[in-house]
């Protein structure tokens, strides 16, 4: 797997209108995609596509299969939970005209946002979308996994085998056998999780409260190593899934979680930079700034942090410009990425317009796309 970053792609995780049609279990919707529909960062690469948004609520213990079909275009399904990525599907069982995924039962009620759209930029036409109670065989294929605790400073050894529990692991949600670990971080703490194997191409995926946080395939180009950096704005547990990139991957591996301290070039763990809602702020990226997982690959980059309060349904609008470096914006809520952007028309400008699905405090990271980026910038942000 490789991440391809388009030079002028605006990667907004929920830019559609906040109003969503409810689709209860047992209902089939007939609708159409037009070029006037709201754009959403739909595909795994973050490409924007016109899409319709639906609200699907599952009670505790309830599971559902969501299926989209069209004879007019190549279908694509994206599902968010609490405003962040949960699952996606393109060609179900190789069929360009069908997308399907199953949402597993949990111990608590959950409300998902389902985005239905085309894989291709010019895809328009009619489609059907249905939500049905998942068959027992489908639910059984996604067993509950009890993560093993992995303390900071600890190295664990494990083995991936064909009979292990399977979860959607890769960027296109292909299921793979995995082991799961629980990493606890305190507020303001940063940690590096590293997986190594001499037997297979490693892969790491991290979630928090069921929402996607980060993933990594080949760290620094090595198929034998996967590594992610986690930064916790508030205390909590992260679930780390360790598995193979390929279906046939199996064998022994090691995994380690290690606290990241103020090492040279890392920078101090800092609070939000000064600035109020609607202000135009002048800032500077320097060697002493904190490094955070920033681009789509979650590579560490220098950044300043700002916070903004927003209610569900409000829009957070952030614009960052610089004549000194290639800008990059990332927005998180409770340590989970909800929106990001690299180039908005040029490498010197980044823009995010994010419709909030879950209210609360959002952290804006204003930083650099390249490791060497340093210099002055201007940022303006507001909730409206």
């Amino acid at each position: 797997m490789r991440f391809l970053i388009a030079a002028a792609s605006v990667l907004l995780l929920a830019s559609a209108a906040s109003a969503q049609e409810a689709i209860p279990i047992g209902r089939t919707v007939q609708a159409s995609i037009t070029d006037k529909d709201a754009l959403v960062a739909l595909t795994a690469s973050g490409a924007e596509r016109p899409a319709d948004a639906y609200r699907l609520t599952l009670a505790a213990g309830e599971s559902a299969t969501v299926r989209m079909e069209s004879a007019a275009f190549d279908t694509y399904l994206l599902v968010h939970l609490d405003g962040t990525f949960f699952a996606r599907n393109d060609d179900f069982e190789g069929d360009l005209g069908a997308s399907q995924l199953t949402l597993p039962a949990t111990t608590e009620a959950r409300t998902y946002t389902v985005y239905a759209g085309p894989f291709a930029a010019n895809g328009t036409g009619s489609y059907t979308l249905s939500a049905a109670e998942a068959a027992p065989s489908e639910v059984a294929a996604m067993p509950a996994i009890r993560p093993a605790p992995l303390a900071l400073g600890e190295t664990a050894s494990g083995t991936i085998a064909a009979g292990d529990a399977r979860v959607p692991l890769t960027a296109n949600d292909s299921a793979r056998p995995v082991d799961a670990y629980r990493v606890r971080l305190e507020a303001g703490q940063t940690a590096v999780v590293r997986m190594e194997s001499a037997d297979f191409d490693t892969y790491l995926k991290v979630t928090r409260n069921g929402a996607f946080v980060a993933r990594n395939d080949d760290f620094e180009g090595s198929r034998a190593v996967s590594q992610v950096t986690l930064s916790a704005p508030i205390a909590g547990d992260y679930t780390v899934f360790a598995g193979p990139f390929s279906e046939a991957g199996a064998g022994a591996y090691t995994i380690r979680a290690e606290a990241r301290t103020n090492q040279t070039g890392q920078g101090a763990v800092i609070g939000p930079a000064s600035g109020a809602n609607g202000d135009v702020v002048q800032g500077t990226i320097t060697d002493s700034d904190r490094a955070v997982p920033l681009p789509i690959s979650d590579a560490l980059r220098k950044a300043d942090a700002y916070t903004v309060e927003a209610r569900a349904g409000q829009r957070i609008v952030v614009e960052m410009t610089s004549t000194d470096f290639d800008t990059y914006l990332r927005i998180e809520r409770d340590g989970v990425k909800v929106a990001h952007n690299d180039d908005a028309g040029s490498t010197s400008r980044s823009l995010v317009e994010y419709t909030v699905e879950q209210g609360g405090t959002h952290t804006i990271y204003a930083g650099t796309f390249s490791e060497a980026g340093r210099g002055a910038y201007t940022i303006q942000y507001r909730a409206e």
Side-chain angles (χ1 to χ4, degrees), residues 75-88:
T75 59
Y76 204 100
L77 282 176
L78 170 69
V79 177
H80 283 181
L81 175 64
D82 295 334
T84 59
F85 169 79
F86 184 81
R88 59 167 50 94

Side-chain angles (χ1 to χ4, degrees), residues 23-64:
I23 178 167
I25 290 180
R27 182 183 176 193
T28 298
V29 174
Q30 292 185 334
S32 296
I33 297 295
T34 73
D35 55 12
K36 299 185 184 301
D37 287 334
L39 295 177
V40 174
L42 196 68
T43 70
S45 65
E48 288 188 322
R49 300 292 184 258
D52 292 333
Y54 298 88
R55 185 177 67 257
L56 174 60
T57 299
L58 299 183
E62 194 172 33
S63 59

Side-chain angles (χ1 to χ4, degrees), residues 131-155:
E133 185 175 358
S137 60
E138 293 175 311
V139 178
M142 291 180 283
I145 301 175
R146 180 172 296 177
L150 182 65
L152 297 182
E154 178 184 357
T155 300

Side-chain angles (χ1 to χ4, degrees), residues 40 75 77 103 165 183 200 233 354:
V40 174
T75 59
L77 282 176
L103 303 176
V183 177
F200 59 89
Y354 167 64

